[in-house]
Amino acid sequence: MQQRSPVILLATAFPASLLAGLDPAIPVIGPFPAPIEDHLGGSEAAAVRVLVTVGTRETGAKLMDHLPNLALICCYGSGYEGVDVSEALRRGVMVTHSPDANAAAVADLAMALLLAAMRHIVTADRFVRDGLWQVHSMARLSVVRGLEGRRIGIYGLGAIGRKIAMRAAAFDMQIAYHGRARNAGVPYAFHPTLQSLAEWADILMVAVRANETNRHAVN
């Protein structure tokens, strides 16, 4: 029986820009509804050498069993929490991700959410759009202290946390952090416990990976 050419399997839909960067000589299949193994025939599954997925999508032993010639699990973005990494390594399957690829974009959004919360931007926008300014005073919303001088505690000073800290510094905020270990070469104060950081901070920014190691760390 003729062996099929190696193929790339997409676990979910991806932007056209990503698809354009794939080698046009290698066939691409998918995405399929979850679970993938229910929708991918045996011969087609055996041809899959690369799985392109996202960290939130479960990629465990059952799927790997169905893809016997899988060699690479490529996670789009920084997350890989859905991948059973130990199982992949046991099978000789490489797992990759891009931890710094979207750090700046996430940090931008974190600061946007911070500003929206602290300056009541969403509430004030609704106040104006609903015409409430015609019958109510907006003084309560307008007298709000800004970010300058406020103490921001960053839980997790990884790629995203560091970029949040840089942006917070531009707002003249006081910055401190807590993580698994002290980061060498950063100018921010380190707190040995999350409790200590929370007690010090006016604002607690969570920038850690969402997995079981920190589940319910903030209650």
Side-chain angles (χ1 to χ4, degrees), residues 146-202:
L147 298 184
E148 183 176 5
R150 285 188 181 269
R151 296 186 290 192
I152 180 170
I154 302 175
Y155 174 31
L157 203 68
I160 294 171
R162 288 193 299 271
K163 290 187 179 296
I164 292 173
M166 292 169 59
R167 286 154 176 73
F171 283 95
D172 293 325
M173 301 181 75
Q174 300 178 57
I175 304 163
Y177 72 99
H178 168 71
R180 287 174 294 187
R182 186 188 300 269
N183 289 37
V186 299
Y188 319 119
F190 173 74
H191 283 250
T193 68
L194 180 57
Q195 180 75 31
S196 169
L197 181 69
E199 290 173 350
W200 171 86
D202 299 317

Side-chain angles (χ1 to χ4, degrees), residues 41-172:
S43 62
E44 199 170 31
V48 173
R49 296 285 289 164
V50 178
L51 173 65
V52 183
T53 186
V54 291
T56 54
R57 187 83 178 250
E58 182 178 354
T59 307
K62 185 178 179 181
L63 178 56
M64 295 181 209
D65 283 339
H66 196 69
L67 306 174
N69 296 309
L70 185 65
L72 172 65
I73 299 172
C74 178
C75 294
Y76 180 70
S78 62
Y80 58 90
E81 59 272 22
V83 179
D84 189 336
V85 176
S86 59
E87 180 64 22
L89 295 179
R90 187 185 70 81
R91 296 166 182 256
V93 178
M94 182 179 292
V95 179
T96 68
H97 70 136
S98 46
D100 293 336
N102 61 348
V106 175
D108 288 347
L109 184 57
M111 294 305 294
L113 292 171
L114 175 57
L115 280 167
M118 301 303 295
R119 301 307 300 264
H120 298 173
I121 291 174
V122 176
T123 304
D125 178 78
R126 188 178 300 117
F127 183 92
V128 173
R129 290 180 184 276
D130 291 349
L132 298 178
W133 56 273
Q134 300 177 74
V135 292
H136 297 288
S137 170
M138 198 174 174
R140 181 179 62 84
L141 297 176
S142 59
V143 183
V144 180
R145 179 184 163 196
L147 298 184
E148 183 176 5
R150 285 188 181 269
R151 296 186 290 192
I152 180 170
I154 302 175
Y155 174 31
L157 203 68
I160 294 171
R162 288 193 299 271
K163 290 187 179 296
I164 292 173
M166 292 169 59
R167 286 154 176 73
F171 283 95
D172 293 325

